[in-house]
Amino acid sequence: MLSWITGIATLLLATSTLIIKWAILKPIHEEIVEKFKKAQPIFFKQHSICRIIDLRAEFNLFTFPLACFIILLFTITTKRVSFQGSKYCKGYIGIPIPLDIFAHVKRILAAVIFAIFADELLDIANDALNGSNPSSNQGVVIVYLLQILRVFVIGFRCYPTLAAVYIDTWFSLICATLYVWFDFSITIVYTGLCRNDFYPSELDYNKTKGGRTMIYLQYYGTGSKLLFFQLLKDIPRYLCLAYISIKLPILLYERIRHRHMRDKQLTREQKTLLYSSLPYSVEAQYVKKLFGMSNIKVSTNRFSQTFQFIYAWRDDFRFSSRVVSVYTSIFLLLYFLTIQASHLIDE
């Protein structure tokens, strides 16, 4: 039941977000088209909040400090085995693990969190290959270090969400829920009012002179096609953000609802081991089949029954969180590369 609620709520939230994005981009599109018809410089004026968000190219002043603060809170409230005998810390102050790469629990959530930043990694790769980074005059080594810094900042931004899911307490899930909803709001504002792919701001115009936008308008026309393609590119990102924004409150609800004393006494590793020891777990089924202790049964998975001639689904096998996260990020990266390549071909 909760899976259906999650799916429907995700679609509704993503659709609402795209409508808001369309409402934000519509005046910008009309301004760009009007300047194009009058042969004026093609750019739009950014909102004043964009100067704060874009103070540094590596990170913004909203989500990054908040992410660091949440990581600090998790570090203070996390117990560490080596500190349990200390009379000062009383077992606390431990860096939380962001993701158990070998566990099979909450793999989809972890994969979606990683997939959100696929487009940002593509931007970093484009800056490195094309040399479009504004600090490229500082030398190759400095530019390379700045790109590494941007990757670390991306890791810090997704760290609180992954750590909250791993800690799995009501406090961590509340912090992660508020953080994700705040980051979702900032993303809508930033990708709408500050920076997007087809409508240059005054800063972008100083670099490119709006030549690419003129080509887009000449090819797609002055109608709503260009606006449609901008929303089309944002669909995967908003679906992922909407899924996380809905999934975390549901996890919080489940945690508050099932507050058993036994769960409080077990660590995350002990819970995973307890789950693996169940007779119908993936690990138990794999060991039974490995030693011939169970008969091979026809899979009950609907995907396996429908597409058995393509892929034979096994109930005793699951991809790890690392593999699922890498595959999801690659698929989304290929999606952005395809859209980018299609526009380069049009040019």
mmCIF file of all heavy atoms in Angstrom, residues 203-245:
data_model
loop_
_atom_site.group_PDB
_atom_site.id
_atom_site.type_symbol
_atom_site.label_atom_id
_atom_site.label_comp_id
_atom_site.label_asym_id
_atom_site.label_seq_id
_atom_site.Cartn_x
_atom_site.Cartn_y
_atom_site.Cartn_z
ATOM 1 N N LEU A 203 25.222 37.134 -17.522
ATOM 2 C CA LEU A 203 26.571 36.600 -17.355
ATOM 3 C C LEU A 203 26.932 35.641 -18.482
ATOM 4 O O LEU A 203 28.056 35.663 -18.999
ATOM 5 C CB LEU A 203 26.689 35.900 -16.001
ATOM 6 C CG LEU A 203 26.460 36.781 -14.764
ATOM 7 C CD1 LEU A 203 26.553 35.943 -13.499
ATOM 8 C CD2 LEU A 203 27.464 37.925 -14.725
ATOM 9 N N ASP A 204 25.986 34.792 -18.859
ATOM 10 C CA ASP A 204 26.237 33.868 -19.968
ATOM 11 C C ASP A 204 26.369 34.611 -21.294
ATOM 12 O O ASP A 204 27.132 34.201 -22.177
ATOM 13 C CB ASP A 204 25.109 32.840 -20.057
ATOM 14 C CG ASP A 204 25.008 31.990 -18.803
ATOM 15 O OD1 ASP A 204 26.059 31.725 -18.195
ATOM 16 O OD2 ASP A 204 23.880 31.610 -18.430
ATOM 17 N N TYR A 205 25.630 35.690 -21.443
ATOM 18 C CA TYR A 205 25.686 36.446 -22.696
ATOM 19 C C TYR A 205 27.057 37.080 -22.903
ATOM 20 O O TYR A 205 27.544 37.184 -24.034
ATOM 21 C CB TYR A 205 24.600 37.522 -22.704
ATOM 22 C CG TYR A 205 24.578 38.339 -23.974
ATOM 23 C CD1 TYR A 205 23.971 37.846 -25.125
ATOM 24 C CD2 TYR A 205 25.171 39.600 -24.020
ATOM 25 C CE1 TYR A 205 23.955 38.591 -26.294
ATOM 26 C CE2 TYR A 205 25.161 40.348 -25.184
ATOM 27 C CZ TYR A 205 24.553 39.838 -26.319
ATOM 28 O OH TYR A 205 24.545 40.578 -27.479
ATOM 29 N N ASN A 206 27.690 37.478 -21.822
ATOM 30 C CA ASN A 206 29.026 38.065 -21.946
ATOM 31 C C ASN A 206 30.055 37.052 -22.441
ATOM 32 O O ASN A 206 31.092 37.434 -22.990
ATOM 33 C CB ASN A 206 29.469 38.633 -20.598
ATOM 34 C CG ASN A 206 28.611 39.799 -20.158
ATOM 35 O OD1 ASN A 206 28.061 40.525 -20.989
ATOM 36 N ND2 ASN A 206 28.464 39.981 -18.843
ATOM 37 N N LYS A 207 29.764 35.767 -22.260
ATOM 38 C CA LYS A 207 30.699 34.725 -22.697
ATOM 39 C C LYS A 207 30.384 34.228 -24.102
ATOM 40 O O LYS A 207 31.280 34.015 -24.914
ATOM 41 C CB LYS A 207 30.656 33.542 -21.719
ATOM 42 C CG LYS A 207 30.984 33.919 -20.288
ATOM 43 C CD LYS A 207 30.784 32.721 -19.369
ATOM 44 C CE LYS A 207 30.994 33.098 -17.917
ATOM 45 N NZ LYS A 207 30.731 31.955 -17.000
ATOM 46 N N THR A 208 29.094 34.019 -24.390
ATOM 47 C CA THR A 208 28.698 33.393 -25.655
ATOM 48 C C THR A 208 28.023 34.352 -26.626
ATOM 49 O O THR A 208 27.797 33.976 -27.783
ATOM 50 C CB THR A 208 27.745 32.222 -25.379
ATOM 51 O OG1 THR A 208 26.554 32.723 -24.744
ATOM 52 C CG2 THR A 208 28.395 31.199 -24.454
ATOM 53 N N LYS A 209 27.649 35.551 -26.158
ATOM 54 C CA LYS A 209 26.939 36.537 -26.981
ATOM 55 C C LYS A 209 25.588 36.019 -27.480
ATOM 56 O O LYS A 209 25.041 36.541 -28.453
ATOM 57 C CB LYS A 209 27.799 36.960 -28.181
ATOM 58 C CG LYS A 209 29.150 37.545 -27.793
ATOM 59 C CD LYS A 209 29.012 38.760 -26.894
ATOM 60 C CE LYS A 209 30.365 39.325 -26.500
ATOM 61 N NZ LYS A 209 30.250 40.482 -25.574
ATOM 62 N N GLY A 210 25.059 34.992 -26.813
ATOM 63 C CA GLY A 210 23.730 34.496 -27.155
ATOM 64 C C GLY A 210 23.638 33.814 -28.497
ATOM 65 O O GLY A 210 22.536 33.650 -29.032
ATOM 66 N N GLY A 211 24.766 33.392 -29.054
ATOM 67 C CA GLY A 211 24.740 32.774 -30.378
ATOM 68 C C GLY A 211 23.994 31.454 -30.405
ATOM 69 O O GLY A 211 23.235 31.175 -31.341
ATOM 70 N N ARG A 212 24.187 30.640 -29.385
ATOM 71 C CA ARG A 212 23.519 29.341 -29.360
ATOM 72 C C ARG A 212 22.011 29.501 -29.209
ATOM 73 O O ARG A 212 21.236 28.766 -29.830
ATOM 74 C CB ARG A 212 24.089 28.506 -28.214
ATOM 75 C CG ARG A 212 23.475 27.126 -28.088
ATOM 76 C CD ARG A 212 24.193 26.291 -27.056
ATOM 77 N NE ARG A 212 25.570 26.025 -27.447
ATOM 78 C CZ ARG A 212 26.407 25.282 -26.731
ATOM 79 N NH1 ARG A 212 26.009 24.752 -25.590
ATOM 80 N NH2 ARG A 212 27.644 25.077 -27.150
ATOM 81 N N THR A 213 21.572 30.461 -28.407
ATOM 82 C CA THR A 213 20.136 30.681 -28.232
ATOM 83 C C THR A 213 19.498 31.151 -29.534
ATOM 84 O O THR A 213 18.367 30.768 -29.857
ATOM 85 C CB THR A 213 19.897 31.713 -27.120
ATOM 86 O OG1 THR A 213 20.548 31.285 -25.925
ATOM 87 C CG2 THR A 213 18.409 31.868 -26.845
ATOM 88 N N MET A 214 20.196 31.963 -30.295
ATOM 89 C CA MET A 214 19.673 32.404 -31.590
ATOM 90 C C MET A 214 19.496 31.217 -32.536
ATOM 91 O O MET A 214 18.504 31.139 -33.273
ATOM 92 C CB MET A 214 20.617 33.437 -32.207
ATOM 93 C CG MET A 214 20.686 34.754 -31.442
ATOM 94 S SD MET A 214 21.807 35.947 -32.202
ATOM 95 C CE MET A 214 20.999 36.173 -33.784
ATOM 96 N N ILE A 215 20.437 30.290 -32.484
ATOM 97 C CA ILE A 215 20.315 29.097 -33.332
ATOM 98 C C ILE A 215 19.113 28.263 -32.902
ATOM 99 O O ILE A 215 18.355 27.753 -33.743
ATOM 100 C CB ILE A 215 21.611 28.270 -33.263
ATOM 101 C CG1 ILE A 215 22.776 29.066 -33.842
ATOM 102 C CG2 ILE A 215 21.449 26.950 -34.002
ATOM 103 C CD1 ILE A 215 24.115 28.366 -33.716
ATOM 104 N N TYR A 216 18.916 28.130 -31.591
ATOM 105 C CA TYR A 216 17.768 27.379 -31.090
ATOM 106 C C TYR A 216 16.455 28.016 -31.536
ATOM 107 O O TYR A 216 15.523 27.324 -31.975
ATOM 108 C CB TYR A 216 17.808 27.315 -29.560
ATOM 109 C CG TYR A 216 18.906 26.439 -29.003
ATOM 110 C CD1 TYR A 216 19.454 26.697 -27.742
ATOM 111 C CD2 TYR A 216 19.401 25.354 -29.716
ATOM 112 C CE1 TYR A 216 20.457 25.899 -27.222
ATOM 113 C CE2 TYR A 216 20.404 24.558 -29.208
ATOM 114 C CZ TYR A 216 20.934 24.835 -27.963
ATOM 115 O OH TYR A 216 21.924 24.043 -27.456
ATOM 116 N N LEU A 217 16.362 29.337 -31.430
ATOM 117 C CA LEU A 217 15.125 30.023 -31.807
ATOM 118 C C LEU A 217 14.885 29.955 -33.309
ATOM 119 O O LEU A 217 13.736 29.866 -33.762
ATOM 120 C CB LEU A 217 15.183 31.481 -31.339
ATOM 121 C CG LEU A 217 15.131 31.695 -29.822
ATOM 122 C CD1 LEU A 217 15.350 33.157 -29.478
ATOM 123 C CD2 LEU A 217 13.813 31.206 -29.244
ATOM 124 N N GLN A 218 15.943 29.994 -34.090
ATOM 125 C CA GLN A 218 15.783 29.872 -35.536
ATOM 126 C C GLN A 218 15.359 28.469 -35.940
ATOM 127 O O GLN A 218 14.619 28.295 -36.916
ATOM 128 C CB GLN A 218 17.094 30.250 -36.235
ATOM 129 C CG GLN A 218 17.453 31.726 -36.126
ATOM 130 C CD GLN A 218 18.838 32.029 -36.668
ATOM 131 O OE1 GLN A 218 19.573 31.123 -37.069
ATOM 132 N NE2 GLN A 218 19.211 33.302 -36.660
ATOM 133 N N TYR A 219 15.829 27.479 -35.193
ATOM 134 C CA TYR A 219 15.517 26.089 -35.547
ATOM 135 C C TYR A 219 14.148 25.664 -35.004
ATOM 136 O O TYR A 219 13.334 25.087 -35.730
ATOM 137 C CB TYR A 219 16.607 25.167 -35.007
ATOM 138 C CG TYR A 219 16.430 23.714 -35.398
ATOM 139 C CD1 TYR A 219 16.861 23.254 -36.633
ATOM 140 C CD2 TYR A 219 15.827 22.811 -34.519
ATOM 141 C CE1 TYR A 219 16.696 21.931 -36.994
ATOM 142 C CE2 TYR A 219 15.658 21.479 -34.874
ATOM 143 C CZ TYR A 219 16.094 21.045 -36.112
ATOM 144 O OH TYR A 219 15.921 19.729 -36.466
ATOM 145 N N TYR A 220 13.891 25.944 -33.727
ATOM 146 C CA TYR A 220 12.646 25.511 -33.096
ATOM 147 C C TYR A 220 11.523 26.531 -33.234
ATOM 148 O O TYR A 220 10.364 26.214 -32.948
ATOM 149 C CB TYR A 220 12.870 25.229 -31.609
ATOM 150 C CG TYR A 220 13.792 24.065 -31.344
ATOM 151 C CD1 TYR A 220 15.054 24.267 -30.800
ATOM 152 C CD2 TYR A 220 13.409 22.764 -31.631
ATOM 153 C CE1 TYR A 220 15.909 23.206 -30.549
ATOM 154 C CE2 TYR A 220 14.252 21.694 -31.387
ATOM 155 C CZ TYR A 220 15.501 21.923 -30.845
ATOM 156 O OH TYR A 220 16.344 20.867 -30.606
ATOM 157 N N GLY A 221 11.846 27.747 -33.633
ATOM 158 C CA GLY A 221 10.825 28.770 -33.740
ATOM 159 C C GLY A 221 10.646 29.518 -32.427
ATOM 160 O O GLY A 221 11.252 29.197 -31.401
ATOM 161 N N THR A 222 9.790 30.508 -32.475
ATOM 162 C CA THR A 222 9.550 31.348 -31.297
ATOM 163 C C THR A 222 8.350 30.883 -30.480
ATOM 164 O O THR A 222 7.878 31.611 -29.605
ATOM 165 C CB THR A 222 9.330 32.801 -31.736
ATOM 166 O OG1 THR A 222 8.235 32.846 -32.672
ATOM 167 C CG2 THR A 222 10.576 33.369 -32.391
ATOM 168 N N GLY A 223 7.877 29.697 -30.757
ATOM 169 C CA GLY A 223 6.757 29.162 -29.987
ATOM 170 C C GLY A 223 7.220 28.579 -28.658
ATOM 171 O O GLY A 223 8.190 29.040 -28.044
ATOM 172 N N SER A 224 6.533 27.537 -28.237
ATOM 173 C CA SER A 224 6.816 26.930 -26.931
ATOM 174 C C SER A 224 7.666 25.669 -27.029
ATOM 175 O O SER A 224 7.813 24.953 -26.037
ATOM 176 C CB SER A 224 5.494 26.599 -26.219
ATOM 177 O OG SER A 224 4.714 27.756 -26.035
ATOM 178 N N LYS A 225 8.218 25.378 -28.213
ATOM 179 C CA LYS A 225 9.009 24.155 -28.346
ATOM 180 C C LYS A 225 10.264 24.196 -27.480
ATOM 181 O O LYS A 225 10.618 23.207 -26.840
ATOM 182 C CB LYS A 225 9.395 23.939 -29.815
ATOM 183 C CG LYS A 225 8.242 23.518 -30.706
ATOM 184 C CD LYS A 225 8.735 23.214 -32.112
ATOM 185 C CE LYS A 225 7.593 22.750 -32.998
ATOM 186 N NZ LYS A 225 8.052 22.445 -34.381
ATOM 187 N N LEU A 226 10.940 25.331 -27.480
ATOM 188 C CA LEU A 226 12.162 25.443 -26.687
ATOM 189 C C LEU A 226 11.858 25.314 -25.199
ATOM 190 O O LEU A 226 12.620 24.685 -24.447
ATOM 191 C CB LEU A 226 12.836 26.784 -26.973
ATOM 192 C CG LEU A 226 14.305 26.911 -26.551
ATOM 193 C CD1 LEU A 226 15.149 25.868 -27.246
ATOM 194 C CD2 LEU A 226 14.828 28.306 -26.851
ATOM 195 N N LEU A 227 10.749 25.881 -24.783
ATOM 196 C CA LEU A 227 10.326 25.745 -23.389
ATOM 197 C C LEU A 227 9.985 24.299 -23.063
ATOM 198 O O LEU A 227 10.293 23.794 -21.973
ATOM 199 C CB LEU A 227 9.120 26.646 -23.138
ATOM 200 C CG LEU A 227 8.576 26.722 -21.710
ATOM 201 C CD1 LEU A 227 9.641 27.232 -20.762
ATOM 202 C CD2 LEU A 227 7.347 27.617 -21.660
ATOM 203 N N PHE A 228 9.399 23.602 -24.022
ATOM 204 C CA PHE A 228 9.068 22.190 -23.820
ATOM 205 C C PHE A 228 10.326 21.341 -23.664
ATOM 206 O O PHE A 228 10.392 20.456 -22.800
ATOM 207 C CB PHE A 228 8.229 21.694 -25.002
ATOM 208 C CG PHE A 228 8.045 20.204 -25.034
ATOM 209 C CD1 PHE A 228 7.146 19.577 -24.188
ATOM 210 C CD2 PHE A 228 8.785 19.422 -25.910
ATOM 211 C CE1 PHE A 228 6.985 18.199 -24.212
ATOM 212 C CE2 PHE A 228 8.625 18.048 -25.942
ATOM 213 C CZ PHE A 228 7.722 17.436 -25.093
ATOM 214 N N PHE A 229 11.345 21.605 -24.476
ATOM 215 C CA PHE A 229 12.586 20.831 -24.375
ATOM 216 C C PHE A 229 13.302 21.090 -23.051
ATOM 217 O O PHE A 229 13.947 20.200 -22.500
ATOM 218 C CB PHE A 229 13.501 21.153 -25.552
ATOM 219 C CG PHE A 229 13.135 20.440 -26.817
ATOM 220 C CD1 PHE A 229 12.633 21.134 -27.902
ATOM 221 C CD2 PHE A 229 13.282 19.068 -26.923
ATOM 222 C CE1 PHE A 229 12.284 20.478 -29.068
ATOM 223 C CE2 PHE A 229 12.936 18.395 -28.084
ATOM 224 C CZ PHE A 229 12.433 19.104 -29.162
ATOM 225 N N GLN A 230 13.210 22.304 -22.549
ATOM 226 C CA GLN A 230 13.807 22.593 -21.249
ATOM 227 C C GLN A 230 13.121 21.790 -20.146
ATOM 228 O O GLN A 230 13.782 21.218 -19.272
ATOM 229 C CB GLN A 230 13.698 24.087 -20.952
ATOM 230 C CG GLN A 230 14.240 24.498 -19.593
ATOM 231 C CD GLN A 230 15.722 24.244 -19.450
ATOM 232 O OE1 GLN A 230 16.533 24.827 -20.155
ATOM 233 N NE2 GLN A 230 16.091 23.370 -18.538
ATOM 234 N N LEU A 231 11.804 21.718 -20.186
ATOM 235 C CA LEU A 231 11.073 20.927 -19.198
ATOM 236 C C LEU A 231 11.328 19.439 -19.386
ATOM 237 O O LEU A 231 11.380 18.680 -18.410
ATOM 238 C CB LEU A 231 9.574 21.220 -19.296
ATOM 239 C CG LEU A 231 9.142 22.653 -18.953
ATOM 240 C CD1 LEU A 231 7.645 22.812 -19.161
ATOM 241 C CD2 LEU A 231 9.514 23.001 -17.520
ATOM 242 N N LEU A 232 11.499 19.009 -20.633
ATOM 243 C CA LEU A 232 11.771 17.596 -20.898
ATOM 244 C C LEU A 232 13.091 17.162 -20.272
ATOM 245 O O LEU A 232 13.197 16.052 -19.735
ATOM 246 C CB LEU A 232 11.795 17.351 -22.406
ATOM 247 C CG LEU A 232 12.052 15.907 -22.860
ATOM 248 C CD1 LEU A 232 10.918 14.991 -22.411
ATOM 249 C CD2 LEU A 232 12.223 15.837 -24.379
ATOM 250 N N LYS A 233 14.085 18.015 -20.317
ATOM 251 C CA LYS A 233 15.368 17.678 -19.714
ATOM 252 C C LYS A 233 15.284 17.626 -18.197
ATOM 253 O O LYS A 233 16.030 16.877 -17.550
ATOM 254 C CB LYS A 233 16.422 18.702 -20.140
ATOM 255 C CG LYS A 233 17.816 18.364 -19.647
ATOM 256 C CD LYS A 233 18.850 19.358 -20.114
ATOM 257 C CE LYS A 233 20.229 18.955 -19.589
ATOM 258 N NZ LYS A 233 21.288 19.910 -20.010
ATOM 259 N N ASP A 234 14.378 18.388 -17.614
ATOM 260 C CA ASP A 234 14.274 18.446 -16.154
ATOM 261 C C ASP A 234 13.426 17.326 -15.567
ATOM 262 O O ASP A 234 13.384 17.177 -14.342
ATOM 263 C CB ASP A 234 13.677 19.791 -15.723
ATOM 264 C CG ASP A 234 14.605 20.951 -16.016
ATOM 265 O OD1 ASP A 234 15.828 20.728 -16.020
ATOM 266 O OD2 ASP A 234 14.114 22.064 -16.250
ATOM 267 N N ILE A 235 12.743 16.550 -16.396
ATOM 268 C CA ILE A 235 11.837 15.518 -15.877
ATOM 269 C C ILE A 235 12.565 14.488 -15.012
ATOM 270 O O ILE A 235 12.119 14.194 -13.890
ATOM 271 C CB ILE A 235 11.075 14.845 -17.044
ATOM 272 C CG1 ILE A 235 10.025 15.805 -17.607
ATOM 273 C CG2 ILE A 235 10.399 13.558 -16.577
ATOM 274 C CD1 ILE A 235 9.269 15.253 -18.799
ATOM 275 N N PRO A 236 13.679 13.874 -15.458
ATOM 276 C CA PRO A 236 14.333 12.875 -14.589
ATOM 277 C C PRO A 236 14.799 13.450 -13.259
ATOM 278 O O PRO A 236 14.646 12.806 -12.214
ATOM 279 C CB PRO A 236 15.521 12.396 -15.440
ATOM 280 C CG PRO A 236 15.155 12.717 -16.835
ATOM 281 C CD PRO A 236 14.358 13.970 -16.762
ATOM 282 N N ARG A 237 15.363 14.653 -13.290
ATOM 283 C CA ARG A 237 15.847 15.250 -12.047
ATOM 284 C C ARG A 237 14.705 15.498 -11.071
ATOM 285 O O ARG A 237 14.808 15.191 -9.875
ATOM 286 C CB ARG A 237 16.558 16.563 -12.351
ATOM 287 C CG ARG A 237 17.062 17.292 -11.110
ATOM 288 C CD ARG A 237 17.444 18.705 -11.455
ATOM 289 N NE ARG A 237 18.442 18.755 -12.507
ATOM 290 C CZ ARG A 237 18.708 19.845 -13.225
ATOM 291 N NH1 ARG A 237 18.035 20.949 -13.018
ATOM 292 N NH2 ARG A 237 19.640 19.822 -14.157
ATOM 293 N N TYR A 238 13.593 16.029 -11.571
ATOM 294 C CA TYR A 238 12.471 16.327 -10.686
ATOM 295 C C TYR A 238 11.771 15.056 -10.210
ATOM 296 O O TYR A 238 11.227 15.024 -9.101
ATOM 297 C CB TYR A 238 11.480 17.248 -11.391
ATOM 298 C CG TYR A 238 11.979 18.668 -11.522
ATOM 299 C CD1 TYR A 238 11.436 19.544 -12.441
ATOM 300 C CD2 TYR A 238 13.020 19.128 -10.724
ATOM 301 C CE1 TYR A 238 11.900 20.847 -12.557
ATOM 302 C CE2 TYR A 238 13.490 20.417 -10.833
ATOM 303 C CZ TYR A 238 12.929 21.275 -11.751
ATOM 304 O OH TYR A 238 13.400 22.561 -11.855
ATOM 305 N N LEU A 239 11.775 14.021 -11.030
ATOM 306 C CA LEU A 239 11.218 12.749 -10.576
ATOM 307 C C LEU A 239 12.046 12.173 -9.426
ATOM 308 O O LEU A 239 11.493 11.673 -8.439
ATOM 309 C CB LEU A 239 11.163 11.756 -11.738
ATOM 310 C CG LEU A 239 9.969 11.867 -12.690
ATOM 311 C CD1 LEU A 239 10.120 10.894 -13.847
ATOM 312 C CD2 LEU A 239 8.655 11.603 -11.956
ATOM 313 N N CYS A 240 13.360 12.252 -9.556
ATOM 314 C CA CYS A 240 14.228 11.747 -8.485
ATOM 315 C C CYS A 240 14.065 12.562 -7.211
ATOM 316 O O CYS A 240 13.944 12.003 -6.109
ATOM 317 C CB CYS A 240 15.688 11.770 -8.949
ATOM 318 S SG CYS A 240 16.072 10.635 -10.293
ATOM 319 N N LEU A 241 14.052 13.886 -7.346
ATOM 320 C CA LEU A 241 13.874 14.733 -6.168
ATOM 321 C C LEU A 241 12.506 14.529 -5.533
ATOM 322 O O LEU A 241 12.374 14.531 -4.302
ATOM 323 C CB LEU A 241 14.061 16.198 -6.558
ATOM 324 C CG LEU A 241 15.495 16.641 -6.849
ATOM 325 C CD1 LEU A 241 15.507 18.044 -7.438
ATOM 326 C CD2 LEU A 241 16.336 16.599 -5.584
ATOM 327 N N ALA A 242 11.487 14.355 -6.367
ATOM 328 C CA ALA A 242 10.146 14.124 -5.829
ATOM 329 C C ALA A 242 10.073 12.785 -5.102
ATOM 330 O O ALA A 242 9.437 12.673 -4.046
ATOM 331 C CB ALA A 242 9.121 14.174 -6.961
ATOM 332 N N TYR A 243 10.734 11.771 -5.651
ATOM 333 C CA TYR A 243 10.719 10.456 -4.997
ATOM 334 C C TYR A 243 11.373 10.518 -3.618
ATOM 335 O O TYR A 243 10.838 9.977 -2.639
ATOM 336 C CB TYR A 243 11.438 9.438 -5.877
ATOM 337 C CG TYR A 243 11.574 8.076 -5.230
ATOM 338 C CD1 TYR A 243 10.501 7.193 -5.203
ATOM 339 C CD2 TYR A 243 12.772 7.684 -4.638
ATOM 340 C CE1 TYR A 243 10.621 5.945 -4.602
ATOM 341 C CE2 TYR A 243 12.901 6.444 -4.039
ATOM 342 C CZ TYR A 243 11.826 5.579 -4.027
ATOM 343 O OH TYR A 243 11.954 4.351 -3.422
ATOM 344 N N ILE A 244 12.519 11.182 -3.535
ATOM 345 C CA ILE A 244 13.200 11.292 -2.239
ATOM 346 C C ILE A 244 12.373 12.126 -1.267
ATOM 347 O O ILE A 244 12.279 11.802 -0.074
ATOM 348 C CB ILE A 244 14.595 11.905 -2.430
ATOM 349 C CG1 ILE A 244 15.442 11.007 -3.326
ATOM 350 C CG2 ILE A 244 15.298 12.098 -1.100
ATOM 351 C CD1 ILE A 244 16.768 11.612 -3.700
ATOM 352 N N SER A 245 11.761 13.197 -1.769
ATOM 353 C CA SER A 245 10.959 14.063 -0.905
ATOM 354 C C SER A 245 9.733 13.347 -0.355
ATOM 355 O O SER A 245 9.240 13.702 0.723
ATOM 356 C CB SER A 245 10.524 15.315 -1.682
ATOM 357 O OG SER A 245 11.652 16.027 -2.164
#
